[in-house]
Amino acid sequence: MTIATPDLAPTGEIARTRPEGGPVNILGVGVTPTDLDGALEQIDRWIHRRERQYVCVTGVHGVMESQRDEALRHIHNRAGMVTTDGMPLVWISRLKGHKRVRRVYGPDLMLACCERSVAPGHRHFLYGGAPGVAELLAERLVSRLPGLIIAGTWTPPFRPLSDSERIEITSRINAASPDIVWVGLSTPKQERWMAEIRDSLDAPVLIGVGAAFDFHAGLKRQAPRWVQHSGLEWLFRLMTEPRRLWRRYLSNNPRFIWSFLMQWLHIRHYDL
């Protein structure tokens, strides 16, 4: 694993700008109509300008959690980018006229961003996962992408952080001087953490990728590509983790379809 010494960079102004084109309103959550290349280019621009941003990698689960939690909806809508992590968000974006939208899947975004960062020497910090997962992920990524700079890792406790722990992790990340902080805490915990700590970190970009930590560490199996693009990945994941995920999918999916129909038919209005 490549461990680099801190190389502090100037901090840019905090900007809450989104990529050009404007968000797609999906049940009051502004989803960014882009593809993987567009997302990567936007992240590069933020790093180059030293703009402080966070990215929510969001599917149906994140949208529905935002229906139950107004604060979480505002967190999504303050993000620099809300990616189309699930195929339903892609299909709805296309229905609303954004024909070039593609799925921007968290594990794909993470791997592509890491690969793209080798040449310019961008630095990465891994925050999250169960004990030992971030370290294993760092080893796997560097083995797969020689030259990748992992500036540090941290596994937080499952409980909320104390004030002293929050200060400690902020200092640890800033001392490592990463360009991107990858957050693997699952939704909605990772979105809340990014929004809370955003202004305290010098790193330009925070990206919440949830299960990507376990996938790229080799601890969980990803769905085949054809399943991912068919919109049935939720069923694959339900079959592999039924106890943990049955309530999420069997409750959220029907409610999402009904709520979107109400929005599409203009029976219910959702403000961004």
Side-chain angles (χ1 to χ4, degrees):
M1 178 170 60
T2 305
I3 302 293
T5 56
D7 181 16
L8 298 177
T11 301
E13 293 297 320
I14 299 175
R16 300 302 183 195
T17 56
R18 286 176 177 266
E20 294 181 3
V24 177
N25 184 338
I26 301 180
L27 307 189
V29 174
V31 176
T32 308
T34 190
D35 57 14
L36 182 59
D37 287 339
L40 293 171
E41 289 167 5
Q42 181 62 73
I43 291 167
D44 281 348
R45 283 192 290 270
W46 288 333
I47 293 173
H48 177 72
R49 298 170 185 168
R50 311 308 294 176
E51 291 186 16
R52 295 181 185 177
Q53 299 283 0
Y54 63 89
V55 177
C56 297
V57 176
T58 300
V60 168
H61 176 52
V63 172
M64 295 312 295
E65 286 291 323
S66 295
Q67 306 308 297
R68 292 183 279 267
D69 186 338
E70 185 71 7
L72 181 62
R73 188 173 72 86
H74 284 302
I75 287 171
H76 277 88
N77 289 337
R78 291 180 63 240
M81 183 159 49
V82 178
T83 78
T84 47
D85 184 59
M87 287 305 298
L89 274 58
V90 173
W91 296 329
I92 291 172
S93 297
R94 291 175 183 171
L95 275 175
K96 295 192 174 188
H98 300 275
K99 302 303 182 184
R100 296 185 179 180
V101 174
R102 299 290 184 272
R103 188 182 188 197
V104 184
Y105 177 48
D108 289 350
L109 178 63
M110 186 178 198
L111 191 60
C113 196
C114 287
E115 183 175 12
R116 189 182 179 103
S117 74
V118 172
H122 293 158
R123 303 159 61 84
H124 304 263
F125 195 100
L126 307 177
Y127 179 89
V133 171
E135 292 79 9
L136 176 60
L137 174 61
E139 293 175 5
R140 294 270 182 127
L141 287 174
V142 170
S143 176
R144 185 169 184 172
L145 301 170
L148 180 69
I149 302 174
I150 303 296
T153 64
W154 185 278
T155 301
F158 185 74
R159 56 171 171 74
L161 297 177
S162 66
D163 289 341
S164 62
E165 287 170 333
R166 190 174 294 106
I167 292 170
E168 181 182 2
I169 186 55
T170 299
S171 298
R172 176 77 66 91
I173 295 175
N174 284 339
S177 190
D179 297 291
I180 301 174
V181 178
W182 297 98
V183 187
L185 298 178
S186 79
T187 296
K189 187 176 181 180
Q190 63 193 12
E191 287 78 16
R192 293 187 180 123
W193 184 84
M194 290 190 296
E196 179 183 356
I197 205 168
R198 173 57 287 182
D199 293 347
S200 300
L201 295 181
D202 298 332
V205 187
L206 317 180
I207 309 178
V209 291
F213 274 43
D214 288 330
F215 290 149
H216 289 315
L219 301 176
K220 289 184 181 179
R221 181 184 169 198
Q222 284 186 267
R225 283 292 176 182
W226 71 268
V227 174
Q228 294 179 25
H229 294 301
S230 70
L232 293 175
E233 186 176 8
W234 67 271
L235 182 58
F236 178 89
R237 293 198 64 194
L238 177 61
M239 293 173 64
T240 56
E241 298 182 80
R243 286 189 176 182
R244 189 174 76 86
L245 298 176
W246 73 268
R247 191 182 302 275
R248 175 194 299 185
Y249 291 129
L250 298 185
S251 171
N252 278 349
N253 289 7
R255 290 179 59 245
F256 176 81
I257 294 170
W258 176 255
S259 298
F260 172 68
L261 284 174
M262 295 299 98
Q263 182 184 22
W264 184 254
L265 296 172
H266 303 289
I267 295 172
R268 184 169 181 181
H269 178 74
Y270 294 86
D271 291 321
L272 285 181

